[in-house]
Amino acid sequence: MAHYERKIPILDCGHEYTRRVLHGKWKIRILLYIAEGINRPSELERHIPQATRRVLDAQLAELLKHEIIDRTVFDESVKHVEYFLTDLGKSLMPIIAVMGKWGNEHIDKLRKAINSN
Amino acid sequence: MAHYERKIPILDCGHEYTRRVLHGKWKIRILLYIAEGINRPSELERHIPQATRRVLDAQLAELLKHEIIDRTVFDESVKHVEYFLTDLGKSLMPIIAVMGKWGNEHIDKLRKAINSN
DNA sequence: ACAATAACTGATAAATTTATCAGTACCTAA
DNA sequence: TTAGGTACTGATAAATTTATCAGTTATTGT
């Protein structure tokens, strides 16, 4: 990724940092899977076939950078990797839960409003 | 804005719709102000000097489209407009509140992680 | 030796979001 | 009649995010 200097600064307040952490097309889905034990990149790839592996890796890298998840390398016969939620990541899950709840409660209205032109 | 056809579809699930509604650099801030009665575009402009009026108008238009806010026109001597939260918008505020709370609780860590390269 | 799986990275294109600049129209007060 | 406030819109540029395509390194099973 090689050191990219952001030109539009991120607002320095709690709301904005939370928005950033959650902002990423596949992040919430990835976190939900990791929370339920689907935590190897190849497994995530199989469970999220709409996203390419390249994109999943990028999202995982950002979640790592933001310290929402961490990574363990298992050097067995075939080396593999497992991701897991950090304490910070665990503390974020209730927010994801309420977002899902609200969205599902209003899904018909939201679908119409958001997908209309 | 003239009918723009989205090419990357929005995932049809509660989490994603919620993310969309909240996704917009100035939206959360706008909603917080509207909730506390700062609800005229010119007032919002004064309270959010980092954003240009054009950008605020665009964000307001999207919040309107998503039915998170609504609008009343006051045809007095000088016509003016007031925005207010719809019921849907009101029901969203607790989510914004927990996002702010979480972000502020972890702000030092988040600031470092997010702004690092 | 060869294909398949594991986990990645680099380069670049496409799409979307955010910002900038320049207008419109209407009203008021100096 | 000019300046300033109200609320907007159009066109386009800049920045960021998402996707695509092509590699790398290493191990297993055929």
Side-chain angles (χ1 to χ4, degrees):
Chain A
M1 259 151 218
H3 186 81
Y4 168 69
E5 287 283 358
R6 171 169 282 277
K7 299 193 181 151
I8 299 179
I10 293 165
L11 305 176
D12 186 47
C13 78
H15 286 110
E16 274 306 295
Y17 286 126
T18 306
R19 192 171 73 82
R20 272 323 303 146
V21 162
L22 257 16
H23 177 42
K25 183 163 175 184
W26 307 101
K27 279 184 191 167
I28 289 179
R29 190 158 300 194
I30 288 171
L31 290 174
L32 289 169
Y33 278 128
I34 290 178
E36 60 174 89
I38 294 163
N39 53 4
R40 293 174 53 169
S42 53
E43 288 178 325
L44 291 167
E45 188 181 12
R46 278 191 288 276
H47 280 83
I48 312 177
Q50 306 106 303
T52 63
R53 176 60 182 268
R54 183 73 183 86
V55 168
L56 292 179
D57 284 337
Q59 302 272 301
L60 285 165
E62 213 166 39
L63 288 167
L64 269 173
K65 180 189 158 194
H66 294 172
E67 297 178 42
I68 303 303
I69 59 175
D70 204 349
R71 213 177 76 108
T72 302
V73 179
F74 290 85
D75 260 316
E76 295 161 336
S77 54
V78 178
K79 157 190 146 179
H80 78 271
V81 169
E82 291 184 13
Y83 290 94
F84 56 90
L85 297 175
T86 59
D87 286 343
L88 187 61
K90 284 177 193 157
S91 73
L92 183 60
M93 297 311 287
I95 297 180
I96 292 180
V98 295
M99 287 174 69
K101 185 166 179 292
W102 185 85
N104 285 318
E105 274 166 8
H106 303 286
I107 194 153
D108 294 333
K109 179 173 269 198
L110 291 170
R111 187 164 21 222
K112 265 189 239 168
I114 292 176
N115 294 321
S116 70
N117 289 303
Chain B
M1 254 146 226
H3 186 81
Y4 167 69
E5 287 281 359
R6 173 169 281 278
K7 299 193 182 150
I8 298 178
I10 292 164
L11 304 175
D12 184 48
C13 78
H15 286 109
E16 274 306 294
Y17 286 125
T18 307
R19 191 171 72 82
R20 262 333 307 133
V21 163
L22 257 15
H23 178 40
K25 182 163 177 184
W26 307 101
K27 279 184 190 166
I28 290 178
R29 189 159 302 194
I30 287 171
L31 291 175
L32 289 169
Y33 277 127
I34 290 178
E36 62 176 87
I38 294 163
N39 53 2
R40 293 175 52 169
S42 55
E43 288 177 327
L44 290 167
E45 189 182 13
R46 277 191 289 275
H47 280 82
I48 312 179
Q50 307 105 305
T52 64
R53 176 60 183 267
R54 183 74 182 87
V55 168
L56 292 179
D57 283 338
Q59 303 271 301
L60 286 165
E62 213 166 39
L63 289 167
L64 269 174
K65 180 189 157 193
H66 294 172
E67 297 177 41
I68 303 302
I69 60 175
D70 204 349
R71 211 176 77 107
T72 303
V73 179
F74 291 85
D75 261 317
E76 295 161 334
S77 53
V78 178
K79 158 191 145 179
H80 77 272
V81 169
E82 291 185 12
Y83 290 93
F84 57 90
L85 296 176
T86 60
D87 287 342
L88 187 61
K90 284 178 194 157
S91 72
L92 184 59
M93 297 310 287
I95 298 181
I96 292 179
V98 295
M99 286 175 68
K101 187 167 178 291
W102 184 84
N104 285 318
E105 274 167 8
H106 303 287
I107 194 153
D108 295 333
K109 178 172 270 198
L110 291 170
R111 185 163 25 222
K112 266 190 236 167
I114 292 176
N115 295 320
S116 70
N117 288 305

